[in-house]
């Protein structure tokens, strides 16, 4: 074995590392300049993790299975060639750029000493990092494939955020799955990174209240607000439908994520220090449906890169305590709507242009606004559709290996059951984790939820 990772009962041994290159990459390397929204999203690893139960008929042994994955990966990298490149600092601009040199994506093969059902699916601090997710320097895309004593496997896809956002990564995984099944690729990715600022750039002054230019020292020394617990929950479809009905009681139908956010916000206010008169929540917003107007939406749908902004809602604690779910959902809806439009994204691109070069973040992400919870909806991220030739996953979720986090984070996506239930991944402070676990809707994830 090349490496042994051990902590408690779970042991994972890494047996092989391979750089997989695109099959038909141009002989000469070339560079791709990051867009302003790429620069705003920053450089940190994002991991999407899939758990696959043992196939009823195991056609391939683990070694042959990984070789098959490498073969289809080499094919999909022809379409997603920046993912096989390197991200380096441009000496002239001082900003990162993607060098498309076919350096390769890293594939890590590993073996666990337990059956999959023995993993702690709720407490991800104990289960994941440096075990079934291990980050190696130098590769913007890394895939760790781990097999278990029961024959089940996990696949961990770790992307450098400069490559794109959840929408971009979901398209990559779905397209790779198509090639693995010998299907034609249904999405032709757009790598133009064409989100340019206006001339002269201009933006609404309110962006200065939300976003900030910062230094690496400020990031390294951000107040952590005791946010350190990484947890996974299961929520039944019936609970989600009840929340949506409660949130829509005022006569206006609210989305499931608006209803869910309103419910969580009311839990959140009971977990923050009483010195705070106000409480803030945030939402990640994908701008692909906003930029370019209706006539350009189809063009943006396959855009690979970052097209994200952050919406924030704030209200007084005593008002939130007295508000109904529907009244709170109205605040959520208005906060998201304020950001989910073309004017905001054009202003945000220009705001970055006016503050380049350097590091830029939302102030709340730096931990400067006290305890804040950011919610991200992964409802379009593929789970049941993913099949690399050995069946669909029982669980798909997001994970981050970064240790310094200034805000709490919650991500929901469809469960592997395909019945409308949700998997919710979260990074929390202890008081919020305790409150969620005392709530009947949030069920700590276990093997029983995954039907192993």
């Amino acid at each position: 074995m090349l490496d042994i990772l051990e902590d408690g009962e779970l042991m994972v041994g890494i047996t092989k590392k391979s750089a997989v290159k695109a099959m038909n990459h141009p002989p000469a390397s070339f560079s791709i300049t990051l867009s302003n929204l790429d620069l705003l999203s920053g450089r940190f690893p994002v991991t999407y993790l899939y758990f696959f139960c043992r196939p009823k008929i195991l056609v391939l042994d683990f070694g042959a299975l990984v070789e098959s994955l490498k073969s289809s990966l080499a094919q999909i990298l022809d379409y997603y060639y920046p993912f096989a490149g390197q991200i380096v600092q441009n000496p002239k601009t001082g900003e990162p750029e993607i060098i498309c040199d076919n350096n390769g994506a890293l594939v890590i093969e590993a073996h666990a000493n337990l059956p999959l059902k023995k993993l702690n699916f709720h407490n991800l601090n104990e289960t994941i990092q440096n075990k079934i997710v291990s980050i190696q320097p130098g590769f913007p895309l890394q895939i760790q494939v781990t097999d278990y004593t029961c024959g089940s496997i996990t696949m961990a896809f770790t992307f450098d955020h400069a490559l794109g956002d959840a929408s971009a990564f979901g398209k990559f995984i779905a397209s790779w799955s198509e090639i693995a099944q010998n299907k034609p690729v249904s999405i032709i990715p757009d790598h133009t990174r064409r989100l340019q600022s206006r001339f002269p750039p201009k933006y609404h002054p309110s962006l200065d209240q939300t976003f900030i230019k910062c230094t690496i020292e400020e990031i390294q020394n951000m107040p952590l607000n005791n946010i350190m617990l990484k947890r996974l929950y299961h929520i039944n479809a019936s609970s989600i439908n009840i929340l949506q009905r409660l949130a829509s009681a005022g006569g206006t139908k609210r989305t499931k994520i608006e209803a869910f956010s309103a419910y969580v916000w009311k839990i959140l206010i009971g977990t923050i220090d009483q010195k705070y008169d106000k409480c803030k929540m945030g939402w990640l917003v994908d701008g692909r449906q906003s930029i370019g107007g209706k006539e350009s939406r189809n063009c943006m749908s396959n855009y690979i890169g970052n097209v994200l902004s952050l919406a924030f809602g704030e209200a007084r604690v005593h008002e939130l305590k007295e508000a109904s779910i529907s009244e709170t959902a109205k605040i959520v809806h208005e906060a998201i709507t304020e950001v989910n439009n073309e004017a905001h994204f054009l202003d945000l691109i220009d705001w970055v242009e006016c503050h380049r070069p350097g590091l830029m973040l939302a102030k709340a992400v730096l931990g400067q606004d006290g305890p804040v919870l950011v919610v991200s909806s992964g409802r379009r991220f593929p789970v049941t559709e993913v099949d690399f030739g050995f069946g669909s996953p029982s669980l798909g979720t997001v994970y981050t290996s970064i240790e310094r986090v200034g805000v709490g984070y919650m991500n929901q996506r469809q469960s592997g059951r395909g019945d409308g239930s949700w998997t919710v991944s979260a990074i929390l402070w202890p008081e919020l984790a305790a409150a969620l676990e005392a709530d009947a809707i949030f069920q700590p994830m276990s093997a029983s939820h995954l039907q192993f």
Side-chain angles (χ1 to χ4, degrees), residues 290-345:
S290 302
I291 295 176
K294 292 181 179 179
E295 67 278 1
S296 299
R297 286 178 183 174
N298 288 337
C299 296
M300 281 300 296
S301 64
N302 294 341
Y303 180 90
I304 304 303
N306 289 279
V307 197
L308 294 178
S309 184
L310 272 165
F312 289 99
E314 187 175 53
R316 296 191 179 278
V317 171
H318 73 88
E319 293 173 350
L320 287 170
K321 286 181 178 178
E322 296 173 0
S324 65
I325 294 291
S326 62
E327 291 167 337
T328 308
K330 183 175 184 290
I331 301 173
V332 174
H333 174 79
E334 290 173 348
I336 295 173
T337 300
E338 189 174 337
V339 166
N340 195 17
N341 58 79
E342 183 177 35
H344 168 81
F345 278 91

Side-chain angles (χ1 to χ4, degrees), residues 222-416:
M222 72 171 71
L224 300 184
N225 299 321
N226 210 22
I227 301 168
M228 57 186 176
L229 302 181
K230 298 176 183 180
R231 298 290 185 259
L232 201 60
Y233 301 96
H234 174 87
I235 300 181
N236 291 330
S238 58
S239 297
I240 300 162
N241 293 333
I242 289 170
L243 293 181
Q244 188 174 28
R245 285 197 296 272
L246 290 172
S248 305
T252 302
K253 186 174 182 180
R254 298 303 179 194
T255 65
K256 288 182 169 64
I257 197 66
E258 289 170 344
F260 172 77
S261 297
Y263 185 74
V264 171
W265 204 351
K266 290 182 70 66
I267 296 174
L268 168 65
I269 58 176
T271 71
I272 63 173
D273 194 304
Q274 293 184 359
K275 69 180 181 181
Y276 293 106
D277 176 54
K278 296 181 179 180
C279 182
K280 181 178 286 189
M281 276 190 73
W283 297 270
L284 281 170
V285 178
D286 186 333
R288 285 174 176 78
Q289 295 296 311
S290 302
I291 295 176
K294 292 181 179 179
E295 67 278 1
S296 299
R297 286 178 183 174
N298 288 337
C299 296
M300 281 300 296
S301 64
N302 294 341
Y303 180 90
I304 304 303
N306 289 279
V307 197
L308 294 178
S309 184
L310 272 165
F312 289 99
E314 187 175 53
R316 296 191 179 278
V317 171
H318 73 88
E319 293 173 350
L320 287 170
K321 286 181 178 178
E322 296 173 0
S324 65
I325 294 291
S326 62
E327 291 167 337
T328 308
K330 183 175 184 290
I331 301 173
V332 174
H333 174 79
E334 290 173 348
I336 295 173
T337 300
E338 189 174 337
V339 166
N340 195 17
N341 58 79
E342 183 177 35
H344 168 81
F345 278 91
L346 294 178
D347 278 6
L348 185 57
I349 292 168
D350 285 2
W351 183 91
V352 175
E353 187 68 21
C354 292
H355 291 81
R356 294 171 62 183
L359 300 172
M360 292 155 276
L361 286 173
K363 289 182 180 179
V365 173
L366 273 176
Q368 295 185 0
D369 290 344
V372 178
L373 182 70
V374 173
V375 175
S376 171
S377 173
R379 64 187 179 90
R380 293 191 181 94
F381 201 88
V383 179
T384 55
E385 310 94 311
V386 174
D387 185 345
F388 292 96
F390 41 85
S392 297
S394 297
L395 169 65
T397 189
V398 65
Y399 176 80
T400 179
S401 59
I402 59 176
E403 296 180 359
R404 300 195 68 84
V405 183
V407 295
Y409 180 78
M410 192 172 280
N411 173 275
Q412 62 78 218
R413 62 193 56 226
Q414 298 295 321
S415 78

Side-chain angles (χ1 to χ4, degrees), residues 12-221:
V12 178
I14 295 177
T15 57
K16 189 176 181 180
K17 301 175 185 177
S18 309
V20 176
K21 300 178 183 293
M23 290 183 65
N24 299 297
H25 192 274
S29 63
F30 56 96
S31 64
I32 293 178
T33 301
L34 297 181
S35 77
N36 285 8
L37 295 185
D38 293 325
L39 298 174
L40 185 63
S41 288
R43 297 282 313 279
F44 60 89
V46 180
T47 297
Y48 296 94
L49 186 60
Y50 291 92
F51 296 78
F52 298 86
C53 291
R54 177 184 175 89
K56 293 180 180 178
I57 301 175
L58 190 60
V59 179
L60 301 173
D61 63 24
F62 181 67
L65 181 148
V66 175
E67 289 305 314
S68 176
L69 287 171
K70 290 179 185 177
S71 175
S72 54
L73 173 59
Q75 296 176 62
I76 196 59
L77 288 175
D78 282 348
Y79 294 88
Y80 289 81
Y81 50 85
F83 290 27
Q86 299 184 74
I87 301 176
V88 301
Q89 203 83 355
N90 184 307
K92 293 182 179 179
T93 65
E95 295 175 339
E97 63 181 3
I98 303 172
I99 304 299
C100 298
D101 59 357
N102 206 20
N103 183 61
L106 183 66
V107 175
I108 303 167
E109 301 172 44
H111 298 275
N113 67 322
L114 297 173
L116 194 58
K117 65 181 180 181
K118 292 291 186 181
L119 267 61
N120 187 334
F121 292 96
H122 173 54
N123 185 351
L124 301 187
N125 295 77
E126 294 182 359
T127 306
I128 306 256
Q129 192 156 328
N130 295 327
K131 298 174 186 176
I132 55 180
V133 175
S134 55
I135 311 298
Q136 310 292 324
F139 292 89
L141 169 59
Q142 305 176 28
I143 304 102
Q144 181 171 327
V145 189
T146 306
D147 77 331
Y148 298 80
T149 57
C150 59
S152 302
I153 72 165
T154 54
M155 292 183 67
F157 303 80
T158 299
F159 303 88
D160 188 307
H161 212 322
L163 289 177
D165 53 22
S167 177
F169 302 148
K171 289 176 174 61
F172 169 80
I173 292 171
S175 296
W176 183 5
S177 177
E178 288 173 337
I179 283 186
Q181 297 177 72
N182 296 313
K183 295 179 180 179
V185 173
S186 59
I187 295 170
I188 303 301
D190 172 6
H191 297 296
T192 58
R193 308 266 169 164
R194 64 179 183 273
L195 301 179
Q196 302 294 320
S197 61
R198 295 168 292 194
F199 185 81
K202 58 182 180 179
Y203 63 87
H204 194 280
S206 62
L207 290 182
D208 287 325
Q209 305 304 313
T210 303
F211 299 93
I212 188 172
K213 184 170 181 175
C214 58
T215 65
I216 188 64
E217 289 76 23
E218 287 175 309
I219 293 175
Q220 291 171 343
N221 297 309

